[in-house]
Amino acid sequence: MRIGTTELLLILALAILLFGGSRLAGLGKSLGKGIKEFRQEMKDGSKEEKTETKESNGSSE
């Protein structure tokens, strides 16, 4: 079951009617910031994990 263009436009129109344009812009901005922070933390976490793995392998030898 896929969502088509018509359905997406209908959902967008309903969202604008319910929340208003300015509130939707604020919600989009907040959502974008959250996604950006999440990606940054995931990237930083993988770097820390690699560093920890290298340190633990080096110290056990």
Side-chain angles (χ1 to χ4, degrees):
M1 183 173 189
R2 295 176 54 170
I3 296 177
T5 306
T6 307
E7 290 87 0
L8 288 175
L9 290 175
L10 182 63
I11 292 168
L12 180 62
L14 287 173
I16 290 173
L17 287 173
L18 289 174
F19 297 112
S22 61
R23 184 147 184 219
L24 274 181
L27 288 173
K29 184 177 180 179
S30 297
L31 181 63
K33 275 185 171 180
I35 291 172
K36 183 179 178 181
E37 289 175 9
F38 178 76
R39 287 183 178 171
Q40 186 64 38
E41 290 298 322
M42 292 297 291
K43 190 182 291 186
D44 290 345
S46 66
K47 287 180 183 177
E48 288 177 11
E49 196 173 286
K50 288 179 183 178
T51 303
E52 289 173 1
T53 305
K54 287 179 182 179
E55 289 175 356
S56 65
N57 286 342
S59 65
S60 64
E61 292 180 345

